[in-house]
Amino acid sequence: MTKQTILSARGLVKRYGRVTALDRCDFDLYPGEVLAVIGDNGAGKSSMIKALSGAIQPDEGEILVEGKSVRFSSPIGAREYGIETVYQTLALSPALSIADNMFMGREIRKSGMMGRVFKQLDKARMRQLSREKLSELGLMTIQSIDQAVETLSGGQRQGVAVARAAAFGSRVIIMDEPTAALGVKESRKVLDLILTVKEKGMPIILISHNMPHVFEVADRIHIHRLGRRLCVVNPGDCKMSDAVALMTGAMSADEIGQSA
Amino acid sequence: MKNMSEKSDQKPPASEAVASFDGGRTGVLSKLTNLIYTMPAIVPLFVLTLAVAIFGILLGDRFLSPFALTLILQQVAIIGIVAMAQSLVILTAGIDLSVGAVMILSSVVMGKFSVDLGLPQEIAIICGLLCGLICGLISGFLVAVVKLPPFIVTLGMWQIVLATVFLYSGSEVIRSQTIAAEAPLLQFFGKTVSIAGANFTYGVIFLLLLVAGLTYALGQTAWGRHVYAVGDDPAAAELAGVNVRKTLISVYALAGLICAFAGWVLIGRIGSVSPQSGQFANIESITAVVIGGISLFGGRGSVAGTLFGALIVGVFTLGLRLLGLDVQWTYLLIGLLIILAVGVDQRIRKASL
């Protein structure tokens, strides 16, 4: 494949004592795609995602953003390269408003004296930008952008977290189990949200245990096994049961005729 | 399962937006709940107004005079200032048991440095303020970096600072006349502005300015948002890009500095420097914070609420005394208020889930 990857990894190794969580793991994400990452518990997929989002530092190997080798010292470091993560816990402050949460850690100050000397926030502008970002994703702010996040439903909170991730000129959004804690209806909305973000041209890495969800929204499926990428399958050519068989080792990558 | 070709058509129509916001709940009760929810300081303000009205009816002009009402302000000034420091710490879901001790240490340093060491009074005051700041920095470092529980850190600091006060001062009081003669600036906050029978000490004015300043900082700056976020959920704040460590250290340091100012105001109030004064400032400040509607679990409440909380205590104390009742009735009622306030806080939390 000659297409330029937006985010990739080569030969990542991460050891915790005698346990090798990542064993020369590779990873590729192409522009505009939804890449699902699946794997059994303990396969090392969360270690890989943490390495890609800057939460852990791999012992060996390299991470490339648009072909250039980078090192992330923290999630903030990864964010500077436009890699935003929507954590399973969402990392929202429940008692604060939607607008406060959207701009947490990157608030906008007023221009002029009030901003420079008295560090006053430009709340009007932050509210307006939050509203714009939410409506872009089809999250209509009928009631109030000043609503506390805890007054929102699970799906709405997910929406706020995704809007925040998509708002700041980001290149990649990593979503960790976005539907795990949600009911059927709310999950549906979050899947739609993923497709909306994709339509904006933003690539998404989706970590999920839910096979029907993965097969519905993913363009490609990265199957992780024993600390490395076993293969990448196309949801159109691969049955759900085969994906599970690959994941658990009941089937080898050669049998499906696709490999990394 | 293979038939996923339709997926691009599954985008929802605009009317069925992904997560539209529902139209607000209606009804007087839910509107009230909503108001309390968005402005928790409204409950203590209501209690305060009610208390003033009741004592006003019972006592008439003896209570409802500018003199008596401003006397309350003077009496709560010290605890009010300390409670501002306490509010900041409690907003981060911490607690500071050392506030009273830090206040006294600062006042003793100011007194001893200027009177015993003969340093210029300005230098002595700066040293006293620095002392409070350093105590706060130490607590902040232990909480934020060493990650010890705030209760334990400040319990330890309380003992250490108080012991230092007694060892350094030899439990001796520096008399009011000595200070007035040698370092009058120490009594600066005891000066009074009188407007038509209402007496505002500089200490009271300082408290009001402090409340205004902190309200601005907490509501209008990024630092303030971070204080709330850290108190709400530190892990989430960290992942969202807040420097939790820096925020916590700054809060404890600022709290220490505010306590040092309280120490200065204390000299103005009692005239002398007394190592024995302000022994219960930590408990009284926590009382004001809790009655003021700040959640002990962090992230909720306002410093204006704390001011109302301190004033409620002041109103009860003076009102019951003017009624000629035993002072124990004050403690009894304050105790009830504390439990009531925490009950309201729990209800708000439950309603929000």
Side-chain angles (χ1 to χ4, degrees), chain A residues 76 79 87 91-96 98 100 104-105 107 114 118-121 123 137-143 147-148 150-152 156 164 188-189 192-193 195 199 215-219 236 239-240, chain B residues 1-2 4 7-8 10-12 14-15 17-25 34 37-38 216 219-222 225-226 228-230 232-233 235-242 299-300 348-349 352-353:
Chain A
I76 312 296
R79 217 158 75 171
Y87 297 93
L92 296 172
S93 298
L96 294 180
I98 298 170
D100 279 338
M104 186 55 64
E107 293 84 358
M114 283 313 285
F118 297 104
K119 322 244 173 201
Q120 192 179 20
L121 296 173
K123 289 197 166 180
L137 296 178
L139 294 138
M140 302 213 294
T141 57
I142 292 168
Q143 205 179 1
Q147 239 177 304
E150 65 198 348
T151 63
L152 303 177
Q156 287 173 321
R164 172 169 73 178
R188 174 76 256 140
K189 290 181 173 180
D192 290 338
L193 182 62
L195 294 173
E199 265 174 32
F215 272 74
E216 183 183 336
V217 297
D219 297 307
K239 279 190 283 184
M240 223 181 275
Chain B
M1 278 172 236
K2 281 186 179 178
M4 291 296 152
K7 63 186 173 187
S8 55
Q10 288 176 352
K11 191 183 173 284
S15 62
V18 180
S20 62
F21 292 65
D22 46 6
R25 281 168 278 173
N34 209 28
Y37 180 84
T38 45
Y216 174 84
Q220 299 293 324
T221 71
R225 300 289 84 196
H226 294 175
Y228 279 92
V230 167
D232 214 354
D233 185 344
E238 181 84 61
L239 289 174
V242 174
R300 264 161 242 258
I348 292 175
R349 291 176 161 269
S352 66
L353 288 176

Side-chain angles (χ1 to χ4, degrees), chain B residues 73 76-77 80-81 84 202-212 307:
Chain B
L73 274 172
V76 303
I81 294 167
M84 288 304 132
Y202 285 9
V204 168
I205 295 168
F206 177 79
L207 168 65
L208 297 177
L209 289 177
L210 183 64
V211 173
L307 177 65

Side-chain angles (χ1 to χ4, degrees), chain A:
Chain A
M1 253 190 249
T2 50
K3 221 162 83 179
Q4 173 67 58
T5 60
I6 194 148
L7 177 65
S8 51
R10 287 292 168 267
L12 292 185
V13 176
K14 181 72 188 177
R15 295 184 197 90
Y16 296 101
R18 264 191 275 170
V19 180
T20 304
L22 291 177
D23 182 13
R24 284 162 289 137
C25 163
D26 293 343
F27 174 87
D28 290 290
L29 177 74
Y30 292 96
E33 71 172 350
V34 175
L35 176 73
V37 175
I38 62 173
D40 211 352
N41 289 337
K45 64 181 185 317
S46 80
S47 294
M48 179 181 77
I49 292 304
K50 280 181 182 162
L52 292 172
S53 66
I56 61 168
Q57 284 70 49
D59 301 324
E60 288 169 34
E62 63 173 351
I63 294 170
L64 304 115
V65 174
E66 289 177 353
K68 285 185 249 344
S69 181
V70 293
R71 284 195 72 81
F72 306 140
S73 53
S74 69
I76 312 296
R79 217 158 75 171
E80 276 160 24
Y81 285 94
I83 297 160
E84 295 274 346
T85 308
V86 179
Y87 297 93
Q88 198 172 350
T89 56
L90 299 183
L92 296 172
S93 298
L96 294 180
S97 74
I98 298 170
D100 279 338
N101 268 291
M102 293 267 302
F103 284 88
M104 186 55 64
R106 39 192 160 190
E107 293 84 358
I108 303 174
R109 275 193 218 149
K110 276 196 177 155
S111 54
M113 254 268 287
M114 283 313 285
R116 269 206 315 281
V117 183
F118 297 104
K119 322 244 173 201
Q120 192 179 20
L121 296 173
D122 195 341
K123 289 197 166 180
R125 194 166 145 67
M126 290 196 287
R127 278 198 198 103
Q128 184 208 336
L129 285 174
S130 306
R131 214 173 281 132
E132 273 170 25
K133 291 299 167 191
L134 287 170
S135 354
E136 261 176 41
L137 296 178
L139 294 138
M140 302 213 294
T141 57
I142 292 168
Q143 205 179 1
S144 169
I145 201 85
D146 299 319
Q147 239 177 304
V149 162
E150 65 198 348
T151 63
L152 303 177
S153 72
Q156 287 173 321
R157 290 181 204 195
Q158 190 86 41
V160 173
V162 172
R164 172 169 73 178
F168 296 92
S170 32
R171 283 198 178 99
V172 177
I173 297 179
I174 300 173
M175 294 179 77
D176 190 7
E177 297 279 3
T179 56
L182 300 179
V184 176
K185 227 173 137 188
E186 295 259 86
S187 294
R188 174 76 256 140
K189 290 181 173 180
V190 169
L191 293 178
D192 290 338
L193 182 62
I194 292 172
L195 294 173
T196 313
V197 173
K198 183 194 160 188
E199 265 174 32
K200 307 262 170 220
M202 188 116 43
I204 294 168
I205 303 169
L206 170 71
I207 300 104
S208 183
H209 271 105
N210 189 315
M211 288 302 143
H213 291 172
V214 164
F215 272 74
E216 183 183 336
V217 297
D219 297 307
R220 295 190 308 138
I221 300 172
H222 168 133
I223 299 174
H224 212 76
R225 184 169 157 72
L226 302 175
R228 65 170 86 175
R229 178 167 67 183
L230 180 72
C231 60
V232 175
V233 299
N234 191 322
D237 314 333
C238 175
K239 279 190 283 184
M240 223 181 275
S241 53
D242 290 345
V244 175
L246 287 164
M247 212 171 93
T248 53
M251 189 192 268
S252 76
D254 303 330
E255 287 174 58
I256 194 100
Q258 280 177 329
S259 77

